[in-house]
Every structure is written in structure tokens, then in C-alpha cells.
Amino acid sequence: MTNTGNGRTAKLEAGHNQVTELQIMSGSVGPDVIDIRKLYAQTGTFTYDPGFTSTAACQSKITYIDGDEGVLLHRGYRIEDLAEHCDFLEVCYLILYGELPTEAEKAKFVHGVTYHTMVHEQILNLIRGFRRDAHPMAVLIAMVGALSAFYHEDLDINDPHNRMIATYRLIAKMPTIASLAYKYSAGQPFMYPQNRHTYAGNFLHMMFGVPCEPYEVDPVLAKALDRIFILHADHEQNASTSTVRLVGSTGASPYAAISAGIASLWGPAHGGANEAVVQMLGEVGSVDKIPEFIKRAKDKDDPFRLMGFGHRVYKNYDPRAGVLKSSADEVLELLGQGDNPKLAIARELERIALEDDYFQERKLFPNVDFYSGIILEAMHIPTSMFTAIFALARTVGWIAQWNEMVEDPEQKIGRPRQLYTGPAQRAFVPMDQRG
Ligand code: CMC
């Protein structure tokens, strides 16, 4: 539990009270926070922080990031260790329950997830209502939102059992829904999940299998994909997670809250960056064109940014990018694509950018999206599915954070304030007197 910073306070001169004392709170690691909850009542002033660069919106025990050191911990465990030693469902268990599972606990969890993977047949009909060229993220937003219409009983979010069923359902059905979205766009028959496969293997089966012949899951691909899932599982209070918490804070259905999280993830500044990176590497085309793109990225009059570079929190190498960089080398070698031109461009782009003053001064390093797209593309996953895969993997983080929020006694409906800059009250002007 948070302590109150050993009685330390911050003093603030503002508003109608000359000096206001604000309590300082400490977490287990990381920066202290100043508790401003009573600031308005005491001083009549708000704080101003668009983009929440200095605002802790909640307490959480799930994920810790030290952006200066490039450290990411889930429940205290380093992401590098989890990526090396665990599979995705083991990490899901850890994120949800706070501890690594025993063998029996893991088996029970895997069984629970495996037996929730099918979706209601009406979901297939809903997907058939889309245009064939619908982006999979649009389909995902709609279908996950639609789950709220199928599972009314989950609307009692105060029942922990109901919350856990919703949690299992979401983790289990996301790969099914994402692959259905892909199959529909490809004009191929929908594939049902098969319980004999692993979580990642099942996704590959539903993506690439066809009913007319058996599909053998390549264990190398399944492991590489599973690792990508692990690296995207949670990332504390990012835009999409904060969206899930904000929607959830109103008491809305968890399916609606996760659907909103998927919408938030879609943008190129967030999860959409993996798709944008591969497009960018394609545009760069060859190593000799890199300086031209670096120049554009530095030009303030050019909206172009180096996609997959920079992060709000990391001012050091994103540890997930580190794991993915070695994974990319390994996987592409195993797939016989060691000479993949995009990987060569990415490596060289990274090298040049990291030596450049502009990137050094601003502490811009590769983030998780820089190498993930290259691996996914080498696995023949279409670009439009990259962010859907991010969403699939992030679902555990979203739902764990939603559960934590619902259980938090300090939780309130999220309701930011504003600095109003519009007109003050004025007299109404009838139409014939306007202009
Ligand atoms: N290329 C060129 N310049 C950049 C980049 C970039 N990728 N990222 C930041 N900058 C510059 C920016 O122009 C600004 O310069 P100045 O101080 O001269 O105005 C400075 O660095 C700080 O940037 P910011 O936009 O104030 O930083 P932010 O914390 O608001 O934005 C970011 C973080 C991730 C949105 C941004 O770095 C970015 O747009 N990166 C490219 C998109 C991307 O890779 N997104 C994935 C993020 S990680 C995974 C995820 O969240 O899903």
C-alpha cells in the first residue's frame, strides 16, 4: 500500500490561501507524487497538464517503467526474463493474479482460456456485414464492443466472479475475432479455434489454416509470435489503458471499455506505429536513402517522424525493442530471410539516428514498434493486422488494469477539468441582429 511519504509535504502558494500544504505520497519504487486531490477545495485552482506528462492518475501494482534506465517490470519481474523464460499465458497469469503460476495453476488457467475461445455464431454474421476492405482494427473495435450485447450478466461488474469470466472471455476470444477479421478480408472461410494448439499456435491456425487441408503450426513461428505477445502484454498507464480505465470508471461494460481501448490504440502515435514503421521502411527502400529520411524527421516544417522512435516515458532504449531486435535476427535467420532488406534498413537507420545530435539531445531511441513489424511481416502476417495483434496481446493488460480499478476503493469516475479560454457569459443575439 502507498505510504504518505513519511509525513512530507509540498508547499504551494496559489489561489485564495496563501500557502497550501500538499501531502507527498511514495510508491514502492519510482517518483513520489504530490496529492492534489483537495487542491481545488483549498485554493480554488486546478492543475494544468495536457498530455498528462506529470500526472499520476491512479495507484497500480501491475507494471513499473523506469524510463531513464530503460527498465520494464511486470509485478516486479523484468520483461527480458519473462520473454526468455515464460510463455504468454504464464505472463497473463502473472499480470492478472500478481504471482507467477505453479504448474497446476498454469494448467488450470490455460484450460480456462482454451475453453472460451469460440465466439457466438452471430459474431460471424456481424463480421459479414462489413465491407471486405474494412481495416481489422475497425472490425475489432466493433466486435469487442458487440460482445457486451452477448454477455449481459457481466454488466454486474461488482461481482468478482463475473469480472473473472469477462477476463477469460476477452483473452480467449481476441485471437479468434482478430483472425476472423483477417479471413473475411482475404475472402477465405472462417476457421474455428482448435483446443489442441497453444495460444499463439491457435492464432496461426485460425489465420493461415484452411478447411481443405490440415495446418501444421510451425513451432518457430508460434514461439516468435508468443514472444511478441509477451512484449505487448501491458505498459502501465499509456493512452489505451487510460482510455479503458476512463470508460470503465463510469461502470460501463468491460467489453465496451476494451473496445474503447482498441480504438485508442489504433492511432499512429500509439499501437498504429508498427504498421507505420513497415510502411516507412518500404518508402526508404534502400540504405543510401536513409540520410534523406533522417533529415526529414528533423525538419520541423515536415510532419514526417521516424516511426518506431521516441517514447513518452523511455528516455533510453525501450527494453522491448532490445528483445525484439535480437528476436528479429533469430527469426529471420530461421525463416531463411537473414538478408531481409527491411531489417538491414532498420538496423542502419537505428545506427545513424543514435549517432545523430538531434536524436541524442531528445533521447529518442527505438521503441517496441520498431522491430516488431519486420518480424510479423517475415511471418507473412499482413501489415493491416499488426495493430490488431498488438491489441490482442494488450487485452490482458487492459483487463487487469480494469479489474484493479474496479477493486480500488479510491476509484472515482474520471472527470478532468479545464482551463476555459472561450467567451465569458454574454447576451443572446437574435438572428435578425447577427452579422
Ligand atoms: N521523429 C522525429 N522527432 C521526434 C520523434 C520521432 N519519432 N519523436 C519525438 N520527436 C521530437 C519531437 O519533434 C520533439 O522535438 P522538439 O522538442 O524539438 O519539439 C521531441 O522529440 C519530443 O517529442 P514529443 O512529441 O514532445 O514527445 P511525446 O512524448 O509527446 O511523444 C511519441 C512520444 C511516441 C508520440 C513520439 O516520440 C512519436 O510520435 N514517435 C513516433 C511514433 C511511434 O513510434 N509511436 C509508438 C510509441 S511506443 C508504442 C506505443 O505507445 O504504442
Side-chain angles (χ1 to χ4, degrees):
M1 203 54 210
T2 316
N3 75 48
T4 51
N6 299 324
R8 284 178 302 139
T9 54
K11 291 190 175 62
L12 181 79
E13 261 187 71
H16 40 248
N17 272 359
Q18 271 301 332
V19 177
T20 304
E21 281 201 47
L22 300 164
Q23 204 177 57
I24 294 179
M25 297 162 74
S26 304
S28 40
V29 270
D32 289 344
V33 303
I34 301 171
D35 181 355
I36 58 162
R37 279 174 290 183
K38 296 206 169 76
L39 186 71
Y40 179 58
Q42 287 175 355
T43 69
T45 60
F46 297 141
T47 56
Y48 181 62
D49 187 17
F52 306 114
T53 52
S54 300
T55 297
C58 63
Q59 296 189 30
S60 181
K61 293 184 169 65
I62 301 173
T63 293
Y64 173 72
I65 304 172
D66 183 333
D68 295 326
E69 295 298 322
V71 171
L72 168 61
L73 309 177
H74 293 317
R75 304 285 189 179
Y77 295 103
R78 288 177 74 95
I79 189 68
E80 293 90 337
D81 291 336
L82 297 174
E84 189 181 340
H85 301 295
C86 297
D87 64 28
F88 177 64
L89 287 183
E90 207 170 328
V91 174
C92 288
Y93 185 99
L94 172 71
I95 287 174
L96 289 170
Y97 294 104
E99 296 296 334
L100 286 165
T102 62
E103 212 173 323
E105 285 164 342
K106 185 177 168 194
K108 193 170 165 216
F109 181 67
V110 170
H111 183 272
V113 170
T114 305
Y115 283 85
H116 277 95
T117 49
M118 288 214 300
V119 292
H120 195 290
E121 284 291 299
Q122 279 300 103
I123 291 282
L124 310 188
N125 290 331
L126 287 175
I127 291 180
R128 287 192 183 98
F130 277 91
R131 284 170 55 128
R132 292 274 176 190
D133 62 356
H135 194 286
M137 286 296 279
V139 179
L140 225 55
I141 291 166
M143 289 309 108
V144 173
L147 291 179
S148 58
F150 290 83
Y151 302 115
H152 302 287
E153 80 276 18
D154 292 346
L155 289 175
D156 180 8
I157 59 163
N158 296 316
D159 179 342
H161 180 66
N162 271 349
R163 284 206 304 276
M164 209 29 85
I165 294 176
T167 299
Y168 275 61
R169 278 192 184 130
L170 277 158
I171 294 170
K173 293 183 201 307
M174 281 296 281
T176 313
I177 296 173
S179 60
L180 289 173
Y182 167 64
K183 284 297 196 193
Y184 185 69
S185 69
Q188 290 184 8
F190 293 139
M191 293 296 284
Y192 288 92
Q194 282 194 4
N195 294 345
R196 68 190 168 93
H197 292 306
T198 61
Y199 188 83
N202 201 21
F203 180 64
L204 288 172
H205 148 77
M206 292 185 287
M207 282 285 294
F208 298 119
V210 284
C212 45
E213 59 185 18
Y215 175 77
E216 290 310 321
V217 173
D218 180 337
V220 173
L221 294 191
K223 189 164 189 316
L225 189 61
D226 193 78
R227 184 170 284 180
I228 289 181
F229 291 166
I230 292 174
L231 295 170
H232 289 83
D234 190 48
H235 213 227
E236 54 117 308
Q237 309 311 319
N238 54 80
S240 55
T241 303
S242 299
T243 303
V244 170
R245 279 186 179 258
L246 194 58
V247 175
S249 78
T250 68
S253 151
Y255 303 102
I258 302 295
S259 168
I262 300 170
S264 169
L265 186 76
W266 194 359
H270 194 6
N274 53 14
E275 196 175 326
V277 169
V278 168
Q279 273 155 7
M280 177 188 76
L281 295 174
E283 267 178 57
V284 176
S286 61
V287 168
D288 57 302
K289 293 264 173 53
I290 292 174
E292 191 187 305
F293 280 83
I294 297 269
K295 197 169 157 220
R296 282 187 60 196
K298 298 194 294 188
D299 180 355
K300 293 289 164 211
D301 296 326
D302 188 331
F304 174 77
R305 281 191 165 195
L306 213 52
M307 299 314 287
F309 253 78
H311 197 276
R312 170 62 62 78
V313 184
Y314 292 116
K315 301 302 164 201
N316 201 327
Y317 213 98
D318 178 339
R320 302 167 301 170
V323 175
L324 281 170
K325 188 180 179 181
S326 13
S327 203
D329 288 340
E330 208 177 287
V331 175
L332 268 63
E333 200 60 52
L334 281 164
L335 293 174
Q337 299 181 36
D339 57 354
N340 183 300
K342 283 197 181 125
L343 182 60
I345 296 171
R347 281 207 207 100
E348 188 59 7
L349 194 61
E350 177 189 331
R351 192 189 65 74
I352 296 177
L354 293 185
E355 283 177 1
D356 191 292
D357 284 352
Y358 174 94
F359 292 88
Q360 284 180 353
E361 279 159 17
R362 290 167 181 76
K363 299 193 170 141
L364 302 171
F365 291 85
N367 59 51
V368 67
D369 294 312
F370 195 65
Y371 285 104
S372 62
I374 298 174
I375 305 178
L376 293 172
E377 192 179 61
M379 295 166 80
H380 302 294
I381 290 178
T383 321
S384 63
M385 283 298 289
F386 291 2
T387 314
I389 287 175
F390 191 154
L392 176 172
R394 182 55 58 84
T395 296
V396 63
W398 289 329
I399 196 73
Q401 301 261 357
W402 172 80
N403 269 296
E404 188 180 60
M405 183 204 65
V406 174
E407 284 168 11
D408 183 350
E410 293 190 345
Q411 185 268 327
K412 280 175 183 288
I413 182 171
R415 197 347 181 150
R417 302 305 301 264
Q418 63 175 5
L419 178 65
Y420 177 69
T421 56
Q425 184 173 313
R426 49 186 170 161
F428 178 75
V429 184
M431 184 160 306
D432 60 2
Q433 292 169 29
R434 292 176 209 160

